[in-house]
Amino acid sequence: MKQSTKAVLCLLLCLLFIPIALFAGGEKEGITVETESQVEVYKEAKYVFLFIGDGMAMPQVNSAEIYSNAVASQDITLRKLAFSQFPVAGLTTTYDASSFITDSASAGTAMATGHKTLSGVINMDPGKTVKFTTIAEMARDAGRKVGIISSVSLDHATPAAFYAKVPSRGEMYNIAVQMTESGFDFFGGGGLAQPKGKKGDQPDVIDIARAAGYTYVNDTAAFKALRPGAGKVLAINPALQDSAAMYYEIDRKPGDLSLADFTGKAIELLDNEEGFFIMVEGGKIDWACHANDAAASIKDTLAFDAAIAKAVEFYNSHPEETLIIVTGDHETGGMTLGFAGTKYSTFFDQIAPQKGSFVAFNTEVLGPYKEKTAAKDARLEDLLPAVKEWFGLDYETLADNEKEQLQRAFLRSMGNEIERAVQEDQYLLYGGYEPFTVKLTHILNQRAGIGWTSYSHTGVPVATFALGVGQELFGGYYDNTDIFDKMAQAMALTVAVGMK
Amino acid sequence: MKQSTKAVLCLLLCLLFIPIALFAGGEKEGITVETESQVEVYKEAKYVFLFIGDGMAMPQVNSAEIYSNAVASQDITLRKLAFSQFPVAGLTTTYDASSFITDSASAGTAMATGHKTLSGVINMDPGKTVKFTTIAEMARDAGRKVGIISSVSLDHATPAAFYAKVPSRGEMYNIAVQMTESGFDFFGGGGLAQPKGKKGDQPDVIDIARAAGYTYVNDTAAFKALRPGAGKVLAINPALQDSAAMYYEIDRKPGDLSLADFTGKAIELLDNEEGFFIMVEGGKIDWACHANDAAASIKDTLAFDAAIAKAVEFYNSHPEETLIIVTGDHETGGMTLGFAGTKYSTFFDQIAPQKGSFVAFNTEVLGPYKEKTAAKDARLEDLLPAVKEWFGLDYETLADNEKEQLQRAFLRSMGNEIERAVQEDQYLLYGGYEPFTVKLTHILNQRAGIGWTSYSHTGVPVATFALGVGQELFGGYYDNTDIFDKMAQAMALTVAVGMK
């Protein structure tokens, strides 16, 4: 063949390749390279971040964006978050093996292993006999360093989905023991819900972790002093709030460690030539949304974004080797950005005065009041100054039906027996939360133009954002199990035959 | 240079091109080709479809998917719609010039012209002096044929945004006259809300259209007989329901024309060597969601999907020249796929028995009953057989609070004066709709696990799907004004200097 003919053929072949590569962008699935429909042109992602906003779908993302706008400026042009500016955005279904509404255990399993399972099950099949290998274990076995970070306890479903295999997420002690056996390089953020077991009669997991070679860090100065070469680290925030979780961002005190601090430290410690896989969970977005507390959700989404910004900094100095993926495991609360009472308007600046989370209000105001006040002596007037201070709500400005609803919620929180008997639909009104506090966040959120329909998760697909090497894999509309496949492909990790 | 060197250089160049093309997928914005970050490798899209699901965001799309599953099989694996299988999916913000919650006029203007404006304004600036050129007019001026189809009236905001310029969407007669002046080749679907003006004292728009050279078709046989070469066509469905709109799909009678029929006919008539631009609106998804009627929304979303399937058929025979874009202009109703009362479960099969839309129930059951029954004689028992027949709801199976709520809504619908005085929060409970009917759809939807928070639009971003030549432009997270830019780029249409 003549050289000139070869040149023309090469050109034609390449021109053919380009539209195929473009077309394949949204369709890639599985990690097998099929030369007909897929072209492996990107480099291997050496440094991979998976950020999971628990309970974070588009309403949670967009409410944080709108809040940032409403508080910062009168300009309607939307201010995006660090991660919502990523070049690639996809949509991800979250249903699990038995329900269109997943929980964090089955959703975590789907993303970590590519397998659907039942709600409550972590990295085992619906029959609870087969154990699945996680992407984090595969990364470890390929010589990468691995970090797992969460703002809730480290034995909670989402972080556990990267290292543990249990038939029930409730086995938190078992999960924590498996954490110490993972060999992963960094665990950080919240604490452990059952460090000595359900009854407190088991060996302390912290001791087990130390015996397994982990350096245990539990104070801020020691945390900040950690330097590369520290070895395996288990770093628990000394400031914990509820269920061994970090404080809601809205309640975090100046100087206390943030999710961004843990993310930055993991990057510092795990940066090495073999690469790393770091999973960071913004876990309290979910908890805030379960309680229908928009201010707490928005502030935790912004804290999650600040953690992502740490990864973006790292990406900026390693753009050819880094991949950042940001997704949610499901939506929580049925949050919407519109309420019947505010019609076509939103007033997100109304949320800004909220002083603390529903938990902080319960702990600091309602709890102490209940402690010292008998049901028969309880009067709403007693708490109105606190309501104004904590939620910016002036009782006199409430509509009559809001006043009545707040009064009834107050009586219900105070254990008023008549009110208890009357309200059959208590769960619909308040979930399992303090009636008075839920009613306050409902009223405030509705004033802002935010609605809620559930105290549980919902089934709407989540958004997935990607930046870096392999980002194009994350466009399109695909399933949460595909996140595993796409990560494995981006990291060039091999899945054992029969695993998938 | 040696030929062999040329061959190697060509290969290197092409290999360089592929990752650039892949990388650029999620980032392209604007229609100017910037050689540094963008590579124009796709061909011009000759046949372009823009499908707008009015009020359709991910909850509307996903509820239709889940419904299809729940009714068709017990298999949890999600059945996607024709358009939700498209290879590219993006996210689109919808805020307008003055609100995070847009209306269809400003959203239509954004997509049709690339400009933000105020709610209610069509293709004029917020000062209501400057007029904008639409993508459909640009396509016309470039020699393409243009078709505009809607399931609601053709003078409604979304179709109007492609041909009219008015300071207020309420000027429906003015809009309709501008329709006849557009020179577009095909208008089809619903009718005209004010064919002779608000007071009925203006020249009939149908006559004006005929004088402008349009063939007016208003019966099914004549519609089906239309063949290429028919010239400019104004085809109004002989079967209209409310406000000159086509029937809700759930109410459509066998043999009546569907949105898919209009789409198929437009393709047949407009197919030509210069290409076409066809906009199809699924307008009653929005109307159903305003009334919080999930069954009507889902069925209209499926009818919209069937219309898209017609375009996919055309794409399959012209894959190198066709681009199909599917988006929504905003979300309506604050629909969520989870309800407090059903927690982590959904029961979408509960919706299947619903016999007709809220409008049909009002027209055929509640209206006639109100007509013949004085408020003092009204008894809920009278309507319970119809409730069972139309919504599959057996009164005896309702919870006590549901029974009470239904009773109160019934009294309110019947004009009971005591009930009217008691219910201050009537708008929150029923919007502007028949209280009894809204309460029925609320109860039924909640049983299925579907929640609602508004009778208006909401601000959550919508999803945009794309298939065909230029599809890669529609990945990522971008604004609705970018839809205009991306379409212009895909069609290689030139925007006049200063227009954008």
Side-chain angles (χ1 to χ4, degrees), chain A residues 167-183:
Chain A
S168 166
R169 59 185 285 175
E171 298 181 14
M172 297 181 99
Y173 181 74
N174 183 5
I175 289 171
V177 170
Q178 292 188 36
M179 176 186 79
T180 68
E181 296 164 353
S182 68

Side-chain angles (χ1 to χ4, degrees), chain B residues 49-118:
Chain B
F49 294 89
L50 174 62
F51 285 90
I52 301 175
D54 204 307
M56 186 186 83
M58 277 314 289
Q60 283 74 18
V61 175
N62 196 237
S63 62
E65 292 175 331
I66 296 178
Y67 177 84
S68 301
N69 254 73
V71 171
S73 86
Q74 296 302 311
D75 180 10
I76 195 89
T77 306
L78 200 70
R79 287 167 184 238
K80 289 195 174 173
L81 308 183
F83 70 85
S84 67
Q85 295 177 47
F86 283 8
V88 172
L91 289 160
T92 309
T93 48
T94 66
Y95 61 92
D96 71 18
S98 70
S99 174
F100 282 111
I101 301 179
T102 189
D103 86 325
S104 292
S106 49
T109 299
M111 291 187 280
T113 76
H115 292 276
K116 295 279 187 205
T117 192
L118 301 175

